[in-house]
């Protein structure tokens, strides 16, 4: 067959491409041409591979399963076929090939062979596999850790309960024999055991987040109303004002979302100086396929250097005497938001107030 100038240019170009193996096969899959890319990806020189069958690139298992013939048959019927899988280089090593086989016909529409284009995607597939493995490892380590926290905190409760019970017994049975100092010591022990019980309960709650997995439609407007009812005493004592914009219904873990909002609102009130009337503003807007909620206050604010630390378990910035708490609410909150596939962060001007922002992906209800 005589080639015209254009066809010759095309052939030359195909020959020079070195990041794709571009080869022509006859109807049975015997190799007719070989370009630089094929040489680079598969390791054979043109002289040693032309006239061999392309089955040579397939693994033993794929050859046994008849994959090469299957792909040619599919290309012949459909015009072209795409396949990804492990292929063999000349030295026996494997590469991940992304292969397109296109059928060629003559003017009478008779099949005369195939053009085959292969890309080497080994790096991509290895990177994906590594990421997948890391994710799996991380997930199982997380599960183990949660299990550990759960068991440890659960088991810690028992001896603690014993200490409390015996302190009570001591006070009941020996109360009249104890002097003031001994009473004071017992008071301290009592205080500490109560505090430890609270911490253990927090840890237990933390490890339980996400165990009940059922996303349900949650009307956030209604949720804020119920949170306001729960916080009625705090609202009354501080005279706090809650301003709430229109809030959406989102697909969420209802109890956890309520816990999150309650903590953010309660913190917003708690961390406002006593001489200032707390004003808490709650709003939501759609942004980038997420509902973005904001709980803003006019409180003491947070130095930007602490904007990560506050989300860690048991981390607090203020004296417990000034502002009570265990430092677990925001760690809970972060876990809850991440459970929904969102994020939680803070923006603040120290002395003027904070804006806690969290996102929840928009799910179709
Ligand atoms: P807790 O409220 O029990 O201390 P959190 O985990 O809810 O625990 O909060 C951690 C810390 O983050 C708080 O101790 C406080 O220092 C800071 N913080 C949280 N919310 C606010 C807020 N709205 N304004 C200022 N500081 C805050």
């Amino acid at each position: 067959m005589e080639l015209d100038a254009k066809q010759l240019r095309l052939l030359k170009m195909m020959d020079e491409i070195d990041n794709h193996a571009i080869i022509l096969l006859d109807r049975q899959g015997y190799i007719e041409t070989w370009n630089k890319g094929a040489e680079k990806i598969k390791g054979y020189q043109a002289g040693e591979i032309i006239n061999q069958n392309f089955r040579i690139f397939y693994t033993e298992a794929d050859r046994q399963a008849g994959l090469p013939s299957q792909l040619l048959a599919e290309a012949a019927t459909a015009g072209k076929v795409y396949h990804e899988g492990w292929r063999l280089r000349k030295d026996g090593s494997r590469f991940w090939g992304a292969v397109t086989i296109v059928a060629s016909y003559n003017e009478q529409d008779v099949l005369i062979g195939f053009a085959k284009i292969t890309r080497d995607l080994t790096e991509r597939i290895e990177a994906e596999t590594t990421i997948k493995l890391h994710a799996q490892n991380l997930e199982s380590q997380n599960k183990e850790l949660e299990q550990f926290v759960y068991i440890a905190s659960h088991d810690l409760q028992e001896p603690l309960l014993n200490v409390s019970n015996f302190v009570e017994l001591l006070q009941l049975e020996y109360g009249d024999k104890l002097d003031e100092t001994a009473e004071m010591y017992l008071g301290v022990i009592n205080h500490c055991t109560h505090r430890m019980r609270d911490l253990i309960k927090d840890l237990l709650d933390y490890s339980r987040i996400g165990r009940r997995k059922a996303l349900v439609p949650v009307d956030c407007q209604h949720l804020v109303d119920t949170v306001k009812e729960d916080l009625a005493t705090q609202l009354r004592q501080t005279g706090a004002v809650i301003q709430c914009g229109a809030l959406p219904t989102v697909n969420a873990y209802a109890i956890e979302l309520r816990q999150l909002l309650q903590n953010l609102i309660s913190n917003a009130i708690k961390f406002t100086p006593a001489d200032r009337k707390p004003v808490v503003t709650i709003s939501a807007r759609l942004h980038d396929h997420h509902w973005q909620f904001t709980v803003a206050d006019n409180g003491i604010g947070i130095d930007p250097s602490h904007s990560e630390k506050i989300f860690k378990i048991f981390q607090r910035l203020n004296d417990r005497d000034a502002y009570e708490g265990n430092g677990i609410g925001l760690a809970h909150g972060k876990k809850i938001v991440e459970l929904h596939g969102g994020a939680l962060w803070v923006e603040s001007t120290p002395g003027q107030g904070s804006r806690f922002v969290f996102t929840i992906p928009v799910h179709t209800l």
Side-chain angles (χ1 to χ4, degrees), residues 224-233 235:
V224 170
D225 287 341
T226 50
V227 169
K228 269 165 52 179
E229 279 166 24
D230 286 349
L231 297 178
T233 316
L235 288 174

Side-chain angles (χ1 to χ4, degrees), residues 24-33 51-54 72 111-115:
L24 295 180
L25 308 174
D26 73 5
R27 287 182 354 186
Q28 276 78 42
Y30 285 93
I31 298 162
E32 294 180 332
T33 68
N51 289 332
Q52 296 224 45
N53 196 284
F54 87 117
L72 289 192
L111 180 74
I112 51 169
F114 302 91

Side-chain angles (χ1 to χ4, degrees), residues 263-264 267-268 270-271 297 300-302 310 315-318 324-331 354 356:
N263 181 249
L264 292 181
N267 273 355
K270 183 167 76 177
F271 292 106
D297 63 51
I300 56 173
I302 293 160
I310 52 169
Q315 294 290 337
R316 312 190 74 238
L317 305 178
N318 313 95
E324 62 166 32
N326 290 335
I328 197 154
L330 289 179
S354 312
F356 281 85

Side-chain angles (χ1 to χ4, degrees), residues 146 150 204-216 252-260 332 335-336 339-340:
E146 275 177 16
Y150 179 77
L204 262 175
D205 289 346
Y206 185 75
S207 72
R208 277 186 188 133
I209 292 176
R211 283 181 175 227
R212 301 166 295 251
K213 285 237 170 95
L215 285 169
V216 291
Y253 301 107
I255 294 173
E256 281 83 356
L257 188 62
R258 176 178 171 157
Q259 196 181 342
L260 166 72
H332 268 156
K335 198 171 164 190
I336 290 170
L339 190 72
H340 287 84

Side-chain angles (χ1 to χ4, degrees), residues 67-355:
L67 181 64
S69 322
Q70 222 173 305
L71 292 177
L72 289 192
E74 245 182 276
T77 328
K80 75 174 184 184
V81 67
Y82 177 80
H83 183 259
E84 281 193 24
W86 290 112
R87 301 287 188 270
L88 298 177
R89 297 192 185 96
K90 182 185 171 186
D91 63 8
S93 61
R94 296 189 320 168
F95 69 94
W96 185 265
V99 182
T100 306
I101 302 176
V102 183
S104 318
Y105 303 89
N106 66 10
E107 279 152 11
Q108 285 76 44
D109 259 355
V110 177
L111 180 74
I112 51 169
F114 302 91
K116 180 170 170 289
I117 304 157
T118 305
R119 276 178 303 153
D120 179 353
L121 297 184
T122 313
E123 277 178 23
R124 192 198 75 186
I125 205 80
E126 280 177 354
E128 279 173 10
T129 314
T130 314
I131 291 171
K132 238 186 249 165
L133 271 178
H134 276 315
Q136 277 168 2
N137 272 345
L138 215 62
E139 200 176 320
S140 71
Q141 277 170 5
N142 264 345
K143 275 204 183 118
E144 262 174 44
L145 204 65
E146 275 177 16
Q147 195 66 14
F148 168 76
V149 172
Y150 179 77
I151 293 169
S153 38
H154 194 262
D155 290 357
L156 281 173
Q157 281 179 321
E158 203 186 289
L160 194 64
L161 201 64
N162 267 336
V163 175
S164 296
N165 288 343
F166 277 93
V167 167
E168 214 173 293
L169 272 181
L170 211 58
Q171 274 168 331
L172 265 177
E173 294 179 16
Y174 294 86
D176 47 355
K177 297 195 185 75
L178 297 175
D179 65 13
E180 229 171 75
T181 318
E183 278 289 352
M184 195 262 286
Y185 289 168
L186 284 181
V188 174
I189 295 175
N190 246 337
H191 176 75
C192 290
T193 47
H194 274 115
R195 195 162 143 55
M196 186 132 168
R197 205 175 52 205
D198 287 349
L199 290 175
I200 290 174
K201 189 187 161 295
D202 284 345
L203 264 181
L204 262 175
D205 289 346
Y206 185 75
S207 72
R208 277 186 188 133
I209 292 176
R211 283 181 175 227
R212 301 166 295 251
K213 285 237 170 95
L215 285 169
V216 291
V218 180
D219 175 352
C220 295
Q221 203 87 51
H222 178 69
L223 200 66
V224 170
D225 287 341
T226 50
V227 169
K228 269 165 52 179
E229 279 166 24
D230 286 349
L231 297 178
T233 316
Q234 196 186 10
L235 288 174
R236 209 177 36 249
Q237 282 169 352
T238 57
V241 177
I242 311 268
Q243 299 171 335
C244 187
L247 300 182
T249 293
V250 295
N251 228 10
Y253 301 107
I255 294 173
E256 281 83 356
L257 188 62
R258 176 178 171 157
Q259 196 181 342
L260 166 72
L261 269 171
Q262 176 148 345
N263 181 249
L264 292 181
I265 297 171
S266 150
N267 273 355
I269 301 168
K270 183 167 76 177
F271 292 106
T272 300
D275 59 358
R276 212 183 281 171
K277 183 158 130 166
V279 179
V280 186
T281 311
I282 306 161
S283 57
R285 66 175 185 125
L286 259 181
H287 176 70
D288 198 14
H289 306 295
H290 285 69
W291 280 108
Q292 185 169 310
F293 290 81
T294 303
V295 178
D297 63 51
N298 59 338
I300 56 173
I302 293 160
D303 191 287
S305 64
H306 293 134
S307 50
E308 301 272 328
K309 179 180 166 184
I310 52 169
F311 295 102
K312 301 214 165 88
I313 199 162
F314 298 141
Q315 294 290 337
R316 312 190 74 238
L317 305 178
N318 313 95
D319 204 353
R320 189 162 292 107
D321 292 338
Y323 300 99
E324 62 166 32
N326 290 335
I328 197 154
L330 289 179
H332 268 156
K334 197 168 162 55
K335 198 171 164 190
I336 290 170
V337 171
E338 285 171 0
L339 190 72
H340 287 84
L344 167 65
W345 67 93
V346 67
E347 298 159 1
S348 174
T349 310
Q352 290 182 28
S354 312
R355 289 162 50 83

